[in-house]
Amino acid sequence: MTLQELEQLDTEVLTPKQVAPILGCQPYSINVAVKNGKNPFPFPVIRIGSRVRIPKMPFLKFMRGE
């Protein structure tokens, strides 16, 4: 999935599966990175139970260097 494809999605949050190819990692790596409630990423990450969601606009802004 590309940034342009993510921009066109009609959702406010993204999944690790959607952003992992752009970050060059596996979705599992994102889940493990936020496992202990810590966010090592320079964009917000929401953890709900065992599920991880990434707010779309902050992620896109980060990837564009804004």
Side-chain angles (χ1 to χ4, degrees):
M1 187 163 274
T2 66
L3 282 178
Q4 292 79 18
E5 291 171 329
L6 289 180
E7 288 173 347
Q8 294 177 4
L9 291 176
D10 188 29
T11 181
E12 295 298 318
V13 293
L14 305 168
T15 64
K17 184 177 180 180
Q18 292 169 313
V19 303
I22 294 169
L23 295 175
C25 66
Q26 296 295 317
Y28 179 75
S29 300
I30 297 170
N31 288 325
V32 169
V34 297
K35 182 178 180 181
N36 296 325
K38 297 179 183 176
N39 180 7
F41 301 106
F43 48 84
V45 176
I46 302 166
R47 187 165 176 253
I48 304 167
S50 63
R51 298 183 189 269
V52 174
R53 296 294 179 261
I54 298 110
K56 183 170 85 171
M57 291 312 297
F59 176 75
L60 292 174
K61 285 182 179 182
F62 165 74
M63 292 306 298
R64 290 186 204 124
E66 296 177 12

